[in-house]
Amino acid sequence: MNLLGLDRAGLVDFMRQMSEPAFRAQQIFPWMHQRGVTNFAAMTNIGKALAERLGERARVSLPEIVTEHLSMDGTRKWVLRLEDGNAIETVFIPEVDRNTLCISSQVGCALDCAFCATAQEGFNRNLTAAEIVGQVWLAEHTLRQRQDGAGRVITNVVFMGMGEPLLNLKEVGPAIRIILDDLGYGLSRRRVTVSTAGVVPHIDRLHEEAPVSLAVSLHAPDDALRTTLVPLNKKYPIAELLEACRRYVARDPRRRITFEYAMLAGVNDSPDQARALARLLRTVPAKINLIPFNPFPGTRFERSTDSVIDAFRDILLASGIVTMTRRTRGDSIRAACGQLAGVVKERTRRVVPIHVS
Ligand code: SAH
């Protein structure tokens, strides 16, 4: 049992199974997540006997860092090897007012979005909660050590790496709770963002699991075009998706959904499409993130020019929607949005059925 993936309730259960009182979970949890200790013997307040018993039954184990790439803009990408030989990627993006960690939720992805490098890798499997939290642990404690232990490093976590988080809610749920936990990484729910291509029924479930910030990969203002870019749209068309978005923020009037929109030259970037997008989002509390398309080998798409992106943004702004163009970060080390590939063993491109229940 890898304790890194147990949320507090899960760790309390585990302690009960070992006939230990619940407060043991309160002791062990911060040792792992806040102090970065993986060795039970070093957890000084739990006693030697318990440390030994834990050592027989459990472990705190992390993915292995294979390589670390540093981009000129300060973005870091880690390639992490998992126990089964698959590799995933995690990206750290420092900014003036925040440090964002972009984490993966699956090995590869089954959704096959036309413009995404991860799709080309196919799908292998879901990550476990321990592997998801392991990415946060590695980034936080590796960087904290380099800063001579001067305080917390990661201020924001986004599920925008490899995979579709809402097709792995069973593991993403506990991972989020650990990231939010005051004895864990202590981030507020506004600082944790789950990005989805639009798995509609699981948008409601995410709200029940943990109502964190939601980003939706929209990329087109109409169903015909969106289905060619995001095949999942066939199953959950735009109207249903926006309905789920409205429900997500309904009980929280200050909140908005972030809509992501990759700018693809000649595909989805015309002024008419900007106006259609503005009409579409009139009835949803929305902000829009325009993402200049990041190319990767073999893609048939091109990035819209800066002037086209500016014109598109200005139309949205004029219609009253908060719109930002996401600055491209980590491009030089293939760490930008949609460029994460990892190493996916036994690729099963497109043959994996998407089960949504
Ligand atoms: N599966 C989730 C999480 C991935 S998040 C989702 O679809 O939302 C990664 C974001 O980058 C998504 O908005 C995705 O659509 C976008 N993206 C994918 N490929 C891209 C590319 N080549 N250039 C720019 N953005 C891309």
Side-chain angles (χ1 to χ4, degrees):
M1 174 58 80
N2 187 354
L3 301 190
L4 207 61
L6 295 180
D7 60 16
R8 206 111 64 93
L11 194 56
V12 167
D13 274 353
F14 181 80
M15 288 299 149
R16 288 235 172 84
Q17 283 166 30
M18 288 187 62
S19 310
E20 289 288 334
F23 77 82
R24 293 299 192 189
Q26 265 66 271
Q27 292 177 318
I28 293 168
F29 201 82
W31 274 115
M32 293 191 287
H33 300 293
Q34 295 188 339
R35 321 238 341 224
V37 171
T38 58
N39 175 359
F40 298 121
M43 300 180 180
T44 48
N45 60 349
I46 65 171
K48 207 169 156 216
L50 176 57
E52 269 169 25
R53 288 179 65 218
L54 278 170
E56 285 158 18
R57 271 169 232 225
R59 63 210 169 96
V60 182
S61 66
L62 292 148
E64 179 198 342
I65 297 179
V66 184
T67 48
E68 177 174 344
H69 304 268
L70 176 61
S71 165
M72 306 230 297
D73 63 21
T75 303
R76 273 168 209 280
K77 178 172 92 171
W78 288 281
V79 179
L80 305 178
R81 183 166 22 233
L82 309 175
E83 278 170 4
D84 65 356
N86 279 302
I88 52 165
E89 300 187 343
T90 303
V91 180
F92 177 76
I93 308 152
E95 289 173 274
V96 180
D97 58 340
R98 69 181 97 174
N99 291 321
T100 302
L101 190 72
C102 176
I103 61 177
S104 295
S105 57
Q106 297 181 313
V107 179
C109 188
L111 292 185
D112 208 29
C113 296
F115 50 86
C116 180
T118 307
Q120 292 196 328
E121 294 291 301
F123 174 77
N124 183 284
R125 67 171 174 87
N126 283 330
L127 295 185
T128 63
E131 289 165 336
I132 297 169
V133 171
Q135 299 170 64
V136 182
W137 191 103
L138 278 175
E140 176 69 30
H141 295 294
T142 305
L143 296 175
R144 201 188 287 180
Q145 248 175 21
R146 286 186 202 159
Q147 297 180 359
D148 295 328
R152 289 207 183 152
V153 178
I154 297 166
T155 64
N156 295 63
V157 170
V158 297
F159 283 79
M160 295 189 186
M162 298 166 64
E164 168 52 49
L166 293 194
L167 288 178
N168 186 18
L169 254 186
K170 190 172 149 282
E171 304 294 320
V172 165
I176 292 175
R177 285 192 287 276
I178 294 167
I179 293 167
L180 299 181
D181 197 314
D182 284 339
L183 297 183
Y185 300 87
L187 301 192
S188 78
R189 56 191 180 83
R190 275 162 214 282
R191 288 177 175 273
V192 176
T193 302
V194 169
S195 178
T196 180
V199 187
V200 165
H202 293 186
I203 290 177
D204 296 301
R205 266 183 54 199
L206 175 66
H207 199 281
E208 293 158 20
E209 289 269 345
V212 293
S213 297
L214 182 68
V216 170
S217 296
L218 193 59
H219 306 306
D222 61 83
D223 281 320
L225 177 60
R226 187 164 192 268
T227 297
T228 68
L229 298 173
V230 182
L232 184 66
N233 192 67
K234 236 179 291 176
K235 193 158 182 175
Y236 303 114
I238 292 175
E240 282 180 37
L241 177 56
L242 296 186
E243 205 41 59
C245 291
R246 283 186 208 100
R247 286 195 296 276
Y248 198 85
V249 289
R251 278 156 285 175
D252 195 345
R254 284 174 311 163
R255 292 189 104 188
R256 290 171 207 224
I257 306 287
T258 301
F259 290 93
E260 295 156 285
Y261 197 99
M263 296 298 289
L264 308 167
V267 174
N268 66 355
D269 63 350
S270 74
D272 275 348
Q273 285 163 321
R275 283 185 281 271
L277 182 61
R279 278 195 301 278
L280 190 66
L281 296 183
R282 244 184 348 219
T283 57
V284 190
K287 61 183 176 215
I288 299 177
N289 256 342
L290 302 177
I291 314 175
F293 170 67
N294 295 303
F296 51 90
T299 182
R300 62 189 159 95
F301 295 103
E302 281 171 37
R303 178 183 295 183
S304 309
T305 62
D306 287 350
S307 61
V308 165
I309 297 175
D310 288 350
F312 198 93
R313 181 201 55 202
D314 290 345
I315 292 170
L316 295 167
L317 284 174
S319 76
I321 304 180
V322 177
T323 306
M324 288 200 359
T325 304
R326 194 181 285 172
R327 203 149 61 87
T328 300
R329 299 289 304 264
D331 206 7
S332 62
I333 53 168
R334 315 209 67 74
C337 304
Q339 291 184 323
L340 301 187
V343 177
V344 179
K345 299 204 318 183
E346 292 156 35
R347 310 172 175 206
T348 50
R349 184 161 197 233
R350 262 184 285 192
V351 298
V352 173
I354 298 159
H355 291 295
V356 179
S357 53

